[in-house]
Amino acid sequence: MARNFNTIVNDENVQPKISGLQKKAIAVAVVGVALLVVGAISDSDQFYRSYLLGYIYWVIVSIGMFSLYALHNVVSGAWGFTIRRFLEAGVRTLPLMLVLFVPIIFGMHTLYEWTHTDVVAKDHILHQKAPYLNETFFIIRLVFYFVLWSGLGFYLMKLNRQIEENRDPSKLGRIQKLSAVTLLLIILSGTFAAVDWMMSLEPHWFSTIYGILFVSGGALSGLAVTIWLLVKFRGNRPLSDFLVPRIFHDMGTLLFTLTMFWAYISFSQFIIIWSGNVAEETPWYAVRMANEWGTIGWGLVFLHFALPWAILLSKKAKRNPQILSAVAIWMLAMRFMDLYWLIAPAHLRSTFSFHWLDIAAPLAVGGIWMAYYCQQLQGKTLMTVWDPRLQDAWHRIGNADAADSAYFGDSPTVKEGIHG
Amino acid sequence: MLNDTQTEPTTLPTQRGAQLVTVNEVPATLDQTNFPVLGKGAKDFESVTEKISGLVLRKGVTKGWVVGFGIAFMLLMLFLYAVTVLFVDGIGIWGINVPVAWGFDIVNFVWWIGIGHAGTLISAILLLLRQDWRTSINRFAEAMTLFAVACAGMFPILHLGRPQLFYWLLPYYPNTMALLPQFRSPLLWDVFAVSTYGTVSLLFWFVGLIPDLASLRDRATTRGKQMIYGALSLGWRGSAIHWKRYTTIYMILAGLSTPLVLSVHTVVSFDFAVSQIPGWHATIFPPYFVAGAIFSGFAMVLTLGIPLRKYYGLEDYITPRHLNNMAKVMLATGLIVVYGYSQEAFMGWYSGAEYEKYMIWNRMTGPYAPAYWALIFCNGVVPQLLWMRKFRTHTVWLWCISIVVNVGMWLERYVIIAISLHRDFVPSAWGYYNPTFFDWATYIGTMGLFLTLFFLFIRFLPVIAVSEVRELVHIEHAKHGHH
């Protein structure tokens, strides 16, 4: 199989594979939505809480893929070219996520204490926060986030498409610079989204690092989904021509880094609040460290951090697509556990309970998300068709891979130089 | 690098076969591909070794060096004076007093420690990330790290009051006094973090120096130089087995240094964040401090590197590529720091907590407001010029910006420490902090220490890693393919 930069086309199995995935996603969505309807009728409060969890679980995948896309445009490593299509499809799900927010607007009264005017009137602190935490401004911000993200995302994709189609590199500099700005804006607006959607569930509590936790957690979720897809399609051309072990190695390193970063940020927040032990902040952890919540919290330390960290420490594991994919799927399960631990105690407080809707909601939203995502993936090549940096990236990755392959004895993949 | 294929442009027929596109058509707007990592003067092994070891092995000293060293040494004498008075009279000569019991000492400690971080990032993280542009700047950046850690270490030890008992900070055995440090205190973690950092940085720097010291030994013409450089080079013969072991240990040290880039300043941020003082107790502190450290460190690398490059004619080694990339790192980390300011301000308001709100209001409008706004100007406004490539590669502008950032990062620590302490919970306990002559003398004195060490370094050791640049020359040639 020659790595030919001039004929990047999908093999005939790609479209059926995407369609197959989409059909499964639709089936999950139908069952999930049916369950949600049953849940909404039987227990509307629980429905809204579970729906928020399911929604957040998936919206950060979209935001995370968007941030990885912006990152790729800035740094242009070889790993980014292999996943660009997967990331672009993720960016295209952003408008869908605005639509899927609608049930939360209907449930605001159930979810957010600060929407109750009588409570706010009696609570000095909430009263002070009212200029920010009020329903109108909440919705204005919501729309603003999605307009900003979609606008930047679709514009960047348009510029990239022009480069690919016209083989005209003149806009590359603009993409690079705009993507750097975009990354900045994602972090900033994502921070406020985190305050709006999650932090304000407990409106007296605050933490300055929370936005970073939200955005970097999203990047981790987005990367995990991307790795799962990349491994799923690794046998199909054009990806199969380009996926040298070094690419998986780099993806694994990125997953490793983001996992460590998650732990670093989570631990920093914990140690500072625990040590300070002030009345404004400690209750948030006091609830989450007692009874079953505490078990989950400790579980996160070992299962969200220590276990994947130990596995990804190994170069062999990172270079093995099956292991890498298994770790990515594991991380997706852990992301659920983390978000559940962050969100659910806001309403349940110290009584732990797990409702079946907490599973049904992520499945329903996920089914819809994945079905829509597959639609965005259809009809496009799985690889970047053209980019002036493509050859350079492969030249470098080829050198690194040749050295690695000599060391590991795994498939020497650099059979033909780019000049040959 | 794409421009390396210039000698033989690779042609790519387009998919539609309409026209030919060559790789050389990469637009001028793409920075990375524009600047070669080494200049034309660094053309072969001999020219590299000759140039860099020549700076060390030449006879005598230049006039510029004498002037620079003289100024640095005078400042060092100022430090000696300040410290002598301190030992005679005690800590009372400084401006600190309750409520501001931590003043310049800790401000300067954090400032110096932060500066060191760029050296570690350049030598360790950029090595692991396979960034070829680290090669020309790692040596003097690592030296900067060591000297900065030495300066930083002065302040907590001098602040002890009885500095001769500094070893009480360590848990030592036998524990005859039944006196162990408080393990829950980040100040103790600082002792571990900083001493580990200093040790690993020294080892890393020295291991990297060994092949170059051997080159100096071989090129030295006097017996004395041959003996000194010979002893320091530990019998290096440049054999394959030497290189194999060298590469292994170098990678291990890089791996060990990498977490230190994060851990040291994270622990430093805990010194403040684990307390309850509004303005100190903020969860954003760890990543925000780490970013600030790298920000100020790169500023200092530029502050030192730009004159060094000019006066020693190192333009072929510290190229626009280096300046451009360092400026970009500065821009990125600067933006993270600004994000930190924005979160402090927003959460100060959003918290609804009386003291948090007052803290941020006092910063912006209180007696120290000029310091706060100067900080915003230095770290938030001026670095935005670096979005433009013109400023990233113009040495004079870049040097000025780096100075502004150094000042800004010092102000940041001053703002965090002095403003937060001077007005805390009870208005009757409020106060005001004024640094005294001795505060300034100690601070400026450590600059003397730093610069003195740096001038000695550029006179007696190769400022650029000769063996690594030679390796880079080899790689660049291999990429060209026709040399």
Side-chain angles (χ1 to χ4, degrees), chain A residues 218-293:
Chain A
L220 183 53
S221 294
L223 181 67
V225 173
T226 310
I227 288 177
W228 173 67
L229 286 163
L230 185 71
V231 172
K232 200 175 175 58
F233 287 94
R234 74 184 187 285
N236 296 92
R237 290 193 72 191
L239 283 178
S240 57
D241 297 350
F242 289 86
L243 287 177
V244 294
R246 186 79 220 184
I247 299 280
F248 292 111
H249 189 155
D250 285 350
M251 301 296 289
T253 308
L254 195 54
L255 191 67
F256 178 72
T257 311
L258 284 173
T259 305
M260 280 208 291
F261 192 72
W262 172 88
Y264 172 65
I265 298 296
S266 302
F267 175 72
S268 296
Q269 177 172 282
F270 169 75
I271 192 82
I272 289 169
I273 289 178
W274 177 80
S275 298
N277 200 17
V278 293
E280 287 97 338
E281 300 169 345
T282 307
W284 195 87
Y285 273 112
V287 168
R288 283 166 178 79
M289 286 180 71
N291 57 42
E292 288 88 346
W293 297 123

Side-chain angles (χ1 to χ4, degrees), chain A residues 25 32 36 74 79 86 99 110 130 164 172 203 221 223 225 269 279 328 340 345 373 383 387 409 413:
Chain A
L36 280 188
V74 175
W79 58 272
F86 295 122
V99 176
T110 309
E164 288 191 33
L172 268 181
S221 294
L223 181 67
V225 173
Q269 177 172 282
Y340 183 69
Y373 180 89
M383 268 276 295
D387 191 294
T413 34

Side-chain angles (χ1 to χ4, degrees), chain A residues 398-418:
Chain A
N399 286 341
D401 192 62
D404 289 345
S405 297
Y407 181 77
F408 287 103
D410 57 14
S411 56
T413 34
V414 186
K415 290 176 206 134
E416 66 292 319
I418 56 161

Side-chain angles (χ1 to χ4, degrees), chain B residues 15 21 24 49 61-62 69 99 104 109 120 123 132 140 175 202 212 283 356 365 380 418 423 425 460:
Chain B
Q15 198 166 4
V21 179
N24 287 337
T49 317
V61 286
T62 60
F69 181 77
F104 261 39
F109 165 72
T120 323
S123 46
D132 55 8
F140 79 86
N175 185 17
L202 179 67
D212 289 4
T283 50
E356 291 284 335
T365 62
R423 287 180 180 175
F425 303 99
F460 294 113

